[in-house]
Amino acid sequence: MEWSVNNAFKSYKDMEPKSTMDMVLIPNMDTIDIVLGSSEKGNVVPSAKPRKKTMTSVYLKYFETAPDGKTRRCKFCGQSYSIATATGNLGRHLSNRHPGYDKTGENVTSSAPQPSTTPTVIKKPQPQGRAPQVDYDHLNWLLIKWLILATLPPSTLEEKWLANSFKFLNPSIQLWPGEKYKAVFREVFRSMREDVRASLEQVSSKVSIALDFWTSYEQIFYMSITCQWIDENWSFQKVLLDICQVPYPCTGSEIYNSLVKVLKMYNIENKVLSCTHDNSQNAIHACHALKEDLDGQKMGPFCFIPCAARTLSLIIDDALRTTKPVIAKVREFVQELNASLDISEDFIQLATAYKEGSWQFPLDASARWSGSYQMLDLVQKAGKSMDAVVRKNGEMLGNRMLLNTAEKNVVNIVHNYLEPFYKVISEICVNTPPTIGMVIVYMDHISDTITTRQPPDWLKNPAEDMAKKLRSYNNQVCNIFIYMTAILDPRIKCELIPESLNSENYLEEARAHFVRNYYTTPFSSMTSGYSSQDIEDGGAVSFAEEIARKKRRASMSNATDELTQYLSESPAPTKTDVLEWWKVNSTRYPRLSVMARDFLAVQATSVKPDELFCSKGDEIDKQRFCMPHDSTQAILCIKSWTQGGLKLKYKSTEIDYERLMEMAAAAAADISLAGMDKKQK
C-alpha cells in the first residue's frame, strides 16, 4: 500500500485550510470521505412526527428524526442512532465528537455541511447494526509513540500473538509491516535532527559536550554525544546530538573521527569549550586529539574533563570490595521481602515493635550504589527485625540469611565509613546538573575523609586504592580551565577553592583570559582629562560639569575590572541557585556574565548522576543492551528529543498526537454508544 504525506491528517483541523498540521502521514481508509462544503439550502430533512412518548432534552435539537421515525441523525456529522437511544448517550456523542456544539447557535437544522471553500470531513453514515469504523492507520501512529516511549524496536510488533490480540479486538485491524515501521522511524529521525541542528544555530554562547559509551548484545560499540549550554534566560539547555557506532577496533582514533563527524554535522566545532568523558583511556586519547585539532585551528580554549560520578563509583566499589559477600546475603533477603506480601508485613510489624524505623516497599535491591547502601542501612538500622523475620520464616528463607556478629560489625564499619559518600552522592543526584566548582569541593571533602580516617586493617588496602583514584582525578582537574569555571560559581569564588587548585598564578591567568576574550573597553577616549566633545567645546565646561565627568570616569575605571569587583564580594550561600544569581547580577557584570555563561555550562559528569548511582540506570542499560543495531540510533535519539520538548515530526510535518488521542477517544465513545444502542434494541 502506498502512503505519503500529501493525503494525511485531513480530518484533524477542518477549519484551517492547507495547514501543514492537517497533512496525513498515513494511508487514507475508506471510512472517511473528503467532500466540498455545499451552499445549497434545499437539503433539510424534515423531522418526522415524534413517537407517543415524547422525549424532551436539550440534545434533541442537534439531531433530526428520520422519515420512518426509527432513527435520529446527528446534524453535524450524520451519525445515526436508534430512536430509543437514551438522550444521555446522544449528549455524550455531542461532547466527544463536537466539542463546543452548544455554542453554534440555536438554528442548527440541517445535516448538510455549512457553506465553505475548505474541504469538510464528514463520516459516512454507518449501517444500522454495525459498529462505527475507525481509521486503523491512526493506531499505527499511536504504536509508533508507544515504541518510542517504551524504547522497543519495531520488531516487537511482528510478534504473532500481539497481532492476534489486536485481531481479537477487531479483525479489521491491519498493522504495518516491520520494514515500514523502520522506514518511518528513519524519516522521523532525519526530520527531528534538522530541528536540533536549527536550534543549535541559534546558540550564541559556548557549549560543552559529554561522551558516554556502551556495548550492545550484538557486540557493537556505541557512543552518545550530549551537548549542554546556558541560554539567554540563564537556563540550562541539554540535547542529545547523536548515538553513533564506533568502528572496530574502537580505539581513541575511531572515537575521535566519529566525534568530529558529529560536531561538523551540527556545525558547532567552533563553539565547543569542553568535553567530559567516561574516564576510559580511549576516550582520553580521543579528547586529546580533539584538543590538538582545535588548538591548531585557534578555535579558542578547550579542555577535557574526567567524569566525577564515575570516579566516585569506582572509589565506592573499592570500599565495598570486602563486604560484597555480606551485601549479597542481605540483598537475597530483601528480594524475598519484596516478593512476599506476608513476609514484608511481618518485617513492618517487627520494625515498628523494635522501633527500627519505617520502611517503604519495595526496597531498592539493585546492584548499584543506591541498592548496596540500602543493604548496609537495613542491617545497621533494622538488624533485630531482620533476624526475627528470618527465624519466623525459617522454612522459606533458611538460616543462610542470618548474619553473624562479625558480619554485622563489618557492615556497621563500612556503613559509617561511607556515610560522607552517601551525602555527597545525594547532593549531586538532587542538584542536577551539578556545577564543576561544587563537585570539586565535594571531591575535596571525600579526599579529606579518606586521608583523615583510620580504617581497620582489612579496609586499609581498599582505602589506598580509593585515595589513588582520587589523586588521579585531582591531577586531571587541577588546571587553569577548571579554576576559572570554579570561581565563576558565586557560591565558591576563591574562598572554597581546594588548596590543590588555589594558586595566585591561576588568578592572574584567569584575569588575563577574561581581558583577552571577554573584555573590550569602550572607554579609550577617556584616557585624557577631556573627551572629544570637551575639545570641540574648547574646554569651556562648567566647574560642576567637570566634577560630574570626573566622577563618571572614576566609576568607569572601577567597572573595567569586573572580575576583581566580583571576587571582592563574599560568596553567595551554598543553597543559592547559581543561574538565577547570574541572571539577577548580569547587569552589574555585563562582560563577566558572558564568560560565566560559557564556563558554567561545563559538565562535571558524563552521565546524569542518578542514572549511574540509582536503579534507574538498570533500565537504561537494559534498553541499550537489547536494542538491535537497525533501531538504536533512531529510537534512542527520538525518545531523548521528545522528552526534551521537541515535537515528533515526519517529513517536516508535526504529528499531532493530542488530536490523535482525541479522535481515538471519540471513536471509542461511538463504539460504546453503538453497543448500548444494540442492547436497547
Side-chain angles (χ1 to χ4, degrees), residues 223-489:
M223 172 176 63
S224 71
I225 308 166
T226 306
C227 178
Q228 179 172 283
W229 70 95
I230 299 172
D231 64 19
E232 291 83 355
N233 294 319
W234 288 95
S235 296
F236 278 115
Q237 300 295 334
K238 200 167 192 173
V239 65
L240 176 65
L241 297 181
D242 204 355
I243 290 175
C244 47
Q245 177 184 352
V246 179
Y248 184 82
C250 312
T251 64
S253 176
E254 287 76 33
I255 293 174
Y256 164 76
N257 290 329
S258 300
L259 175 57
V260 169
K261 182 179 178 181
V262 173
L263 297 180
K264 288 184 176 179
M265 178 180 64
Y266 285 102
N267 194 28
I268 60 171
E269 64 269 27
N270 61 334
K271 294 182 179 180
V272 177
L273 183 65
S274 69
C275 178
T276 308
H277 56 77
D278 71 336
N279 306 5
S280 66
Q281 286 302 310
N282 285 334
I284 292 173
H285 292 157
C287 290
H288 189 270
L290 180 61
K291 178 172 174 57
E292 288 183 339
D293 184 16
L294 296 178
D295 288 348
Q297 299 180 49
K298 297 183 179 179
M299 294 286 192
F302 173 80
C303 181
F304 50 95
I305 304 163
C307 174
R310 293 195 180 278
T311 301
L312 272 175
S313 181
L314 293 173
I315 291 171
I316 288 168
D317 286 344
D318 287 335
L320 295 175
R321 189 192 311 158
T322 56
T323 56
K324 281 187 177 180
V326 183
I327 290 176
K329 189 184 293 187
V330 180
R331 181 172 284 114
E332 188 178 353
F333 170 76
V334 169
Q335 289 167 343
E336 292 291 344
L337 281 181
N338 290 338
S340 172
L341 181 61
D342 291 338
I343 298 178
S344 62
E345 286 181 350
D346 285 344
F347 179 84
I348 292 172
Q349 292 174 4
L350 288 164
T352 302
Y354 287 127
K355 297 182 180 180
E356 290 186 325
S358 177
W359 302 85
Q360 298 294 323
F361 285 87
L363 298 175
D364 186 352
S366 71
R368 294 177 183 266
W369 160 252
S370 61
S372 296
Y373 195 77
Q374 175 89 86
M375 303 304 104
L376 300 176
D377 216 36
L378 192 69
V379 174
Q380 190 189 57
K381 296 178 180 178
K384 292 181 181 178
S385 302
M386 280 184 60
D387 289 346
V389 168
V390 172
R391 290 191 175 96
K392 182 178 178 181
N393 299 275
E395 292 185 5
M396 181 181 297
L397 302 180
N399 292 330
R400 70 185 185 281
M401 294 187 186
L402 284 173
L403 301 184
N404 58 42
T405 303
E407 289 173 328
K408 290 180 180 179
N409 287 336
V410 167
V411 167
N412 289 333
I413 291 171
V414 174
H415 183 276
N416 293 332
Y417 190 78
L418 291 177
E419 189 173 1
F421 293 80
Y422 173 78
K423 292 178 179 178
V424 166
I425 291 171
S426 297
E427 283 291 324
I428 66 174
C429 285
V430 171
N431 299 318
T432 54
T435 65
I436 187 72
M438 192 54 73
V439 167
I440 294 296
V441 173
Y442 289 146
M443 297 296 274
D444 186 58
H445 172 66
I446 293 295
S447 182
D448 288 342
T449 299
I450 296 174
T451 303
T452 57
R453 289 195 175 186
Q454 293 298 322
D457 291 341
W458 52 268
L459 196 53
K460 283 184 177 179
N461 286 338
E464 289 176 2
D465 292 338
M466 295 164 70
K468 183 178 179 181
K469 289 180 174 63
L470 260 176
R471 284 194 297 271
S472 174
Y473 176 83
N474 289 333
N475 289 337
Q476 294 179 69
V477 299
C478 188
N479 56 60
I480 177 58
F481 187 95
I482 300 299
Y483 177 85
M484 290 190 292
T485 306
I487 64 173
L488 289 171
D489 187 328

Side-chain angles (χ1 to χ4, degrees), residues 37 124 129 155 188 295 297 367 438 466 549 563 592 624 645:
K124 282 184 177 179
S155 57
V188 170
D295 288 348
Q297 299 180 49
M438 192 54 73
M466 295 164 70
R549 291 180 178 179
L563 181 59
L592 191 62
R624 288 175 167 181

Side-chain angles (χ1 to χ4, degrees), residues 13-177:
K13 293 188 178 178
D14 302 69
M15 305 307 293
E16 297 181 13
K18 298 183 182 179
S19 168
T20 57
M21 292 292 295
D22 298 341
M23 300 170 67
V24 183
L25 313 178
I26 50 183
N28 211 14
M29 305 295 288
D30 293 337
T31 55
I32 294 180
D33 287 344
I34 308 296
V35 300
L36 290 176
S38 172
S39 59
E40 294 179 7
K41 300 181 181 179
N43 53 358
V44 178
V45 181
S47 298
K49 249 182 162 181
R51 301 177 99 185
K52 290 183 180 179
K53 183 178 178 181
T54 304
M55 299 176 67
T56 58
S57 170
V58 294
Y59 306 127
L60 292 181
K61 62 185 177 184
Y62 301 107
F63 290 82
E64 56 188 6
T65 306
D68 59 5
K70 294 181 180 180
T71 59
R72 283 191 175 88
R73 186 180 181 186
C74 176
K75 294 179 180 179
F76 294 105
C77 66
Q79 177 68 46
S80 295
Y81 292 99
S82 166
I83 199 70
T85 300
T87 55
N89 291 339
L90 299 179
R92 278 189 284 275
H93 167 88
L94 293 169
S95 298
N96 290 328
R97 298 306 300 271
H98 313 293
Y101 67 90
D102 53 341
K103 296 181 176 61
T104 57
E106 296 294 326
N107 300 319
V108 182
T109 57
S110 174
S111 61
Q114 296 299 313
S116 173
T117 58
T118 62
T120 304
V121 180
I122 63 170
K123 212 173 176 182
K124 282 184 177 179
Q126 302 296 327
Q128 288 295 310
R130 283 185 59 188
Q133 294 183 9
V134 181
D135 188 342
Y136 289 113
D137 270 342
H138 291 174
L139 171 64
N140 283 294
W141 280 97
L142 293 175
L143 289 174
I144 287 276
K145 184 78 168 181
W146 172 63
L147 291 174
I148 293 169
L149 295 179
T151 323
L152 294 171
S155 57
T156 305
L157 299 177
E158 296 175 6
E159 167 57 45
K160 175 183 176 182
W161 286 102
L162 179 63
N164 288 345
S165 299
F166 284 117
K167 294 289 185 183
F168 175 79
L169 294 174
N170 192 312
S172 302
I173 289 177
Q174 291 292 331
L175 300 184
W176 291 339

